[in-house]
Amino acid sequence: MKKQFRPCRTCANKPGPKNKPGFFYDEWKGAKVIVECKCHQDYVKERLFYIKANKAGIWPESLEYNPSNDYVGEKSLKNLERFEKYVHNFEEYKENAVYLWGGNGTQKTTLAQWAGAHLLDKGYSVRFVLMQTLLMSLTSGFEDDEKRSLIETNYYKPDLLIVDESFGKDKVTLYGSGYQLPFLDRFLRERIDVHRKGILFISNVDSSEIEKNKFSKSIQDLVMRKTYKTILKFEDNYLAAKTDFNVDSLFD
């Protein structure tokens, strides 16, 4: 991502205002006017996207990712195709809950970040958050007006909410009392059933194992009911597929 504007050769050679690169003089109906060059327009668009993506928790460089070419492995290509269809036809599927799951290193987060960047570029609003962060926000903010407003802005309003590290007991710290779970349950039901907004879960946990990972049966039932047609398992470990390295032997 360029931090400073560098005009292309064509634009750089055109006369224009001093201290204003990216703009040049032209004539319109006999008068001299200042025109913005195409390369500066592209630069501004790129910078605005960079700011928007960072605010949404999306890696800006994910816009350059192409799943058809950059995904590594062959075990989960059918689910990759299904996921691409979901993203490219988001207007049709934007109320859906989708569940991406698989082991560590199976490119789930990379795909989710690509989805977020692609949809941001198409004009949709997106938010990427870790489930631990989401849970902390929910349990400390529902009864506080200012915090509730932030929750509304960050987690209810976006067209797509991407929740990474979902439902793993090794990823999310839960109180033994289960105090946090009703907050999460309430939020998911409101977002999915009331607001009818899309949510993309990324997890190492099979949805049928959510309760075994210390989350409630109510949450498991909700997730399974809402994603039974949209569960996408990914099995292609990037490191193993790229290098033929046996990741299971790492600590042998």
Side-chain angles (χ1 to χ4, degrees), residues 127 129-144 146-148 150-151 154-155 161 163-165 171-175 179-185 187 215:
R127 184 75 180 190
V129 65
L130 301 180
M131 179 161 274
Q132 179 69 58
T133 303
L134 174 62
L135 200 59
M136 290 173 62
S137 298
L138 297 177
T139 53
S140 65
F142 263 123
E143 308 308 327
D144 181 292
E146 184 176 348
K147 291 181 179 179
R148 174 74 190 197
L150 288 174
I151 291 171
N154 291 331
Y155 306 132
L161 179 67
V163 186
D164 200 0
E165 298 186 351
K171 305 288 187 180
V172 182
T173 302
L174 296 174
Y175 300 144
Y179 165 74
Q180 305 130 300
L181 299 182
F183 292 94
L184 180 61
D185 192 310
F187 167 74
F215 289 81

Side-chain angles (χ1 to χ4, degrees), residues 78-246:
K78 287 186 178 179
N79 280 341
L80 177 65
E81 291 176 7
R82 291 177 67 197
F83 187 65
E84 288 185 89
K85 179 181 178 182
Y86 158 72
V87 174
H88 290 307
N89 297 277
F90 184 73
E91 185 63 29
E92 179 181 353
Y93 302 121
K94 64 182 180 181
E95 294 184 8
N96 287 35
V98 178
Y99 198 90
L100 265 63
W101 79 283
N104 290 325
T106 49
Q107 306 168 78
K108 304 181 301 298
T109 298
T110 300
L111 289 171
Q113 286 281 344
W114 163 75
H118 182 83
L119 293 175
L120 275 177
D121 192 50
K122 294 296 182 182
Y124 293 100
S125 54
V126 177
R127 184 75 180 190
F128 181 97
V129 65
L130 301 180
M131 179 161 274
Q132 179 69 58
T133 303
L134 174 62
L135 200 59
M136 290 173 62
S137 298
L138 297 177
T139 53
S140 65
F142 263 123
E143 308 308 327
D144 181 292
D145 289 343
E146 184 176 348
K147 291 181 179 179
R148 174 74 190 197
S149 177
L150 288 174
I151 291 171
E152 289 279 352
T153 300
N154 291 331
Y155 306 132
Y156 280 98
K157 288 185 178 180
D159 297 311
L160 178 64
L161 179 67
I162 304 173
V163 186
D164 200 0
E165 298 186 351
S166 295
F167 308 118
K169 61 185 177 183
D170 59 333
K171 305 288 187 180
V172 182
T173 302
L174 296 174
Y175 300 144
S177 65
Y179 165 74
Q180 305 130 300
L181 299 182
F183 292 94
L184 180 61
D185 192 310
R186 171 184 171 183
F187 167 74
L188 295 177
R189 292 179 189 280
E190 287 185 351
R191 179 168 175 92
I192 296 171
D193 289 333
V194 179
H195 296 274
R196 296 187 178 277
K197 293 290 189 73
I199 187 165
L200 173 59
F201 297 105
I202 311 167
S203 182
N204 293 350
V205 175
D206 187 325
S207 58
S208 64
E209 302 285 315
I210 289 175
E211 185 182 7
K212 291 182 179 179
N213 277 263
K214 298 185 178 181
F215 289 81
S216 67
K217 186 177 188 304
S218 174
I219 291 175
Q220 176 176 298
D221 289 346
L222 172 67
V223 173
M224 292 185 70
R225 175 167 56 86
K226 290 297 182 179
T227 64
Y228 76 97
K229 289 184 178 180
T230 54
I231 296 174
L232 303 175
K233 184 178 182 181
F234 286 88
E235 301 179 84
D236 294 301
N237 185 284
Y238 179 87
L239 183 61
K242 199 77 173 175
T243 65
D244 293 325
F245 177 70
N246 182 5

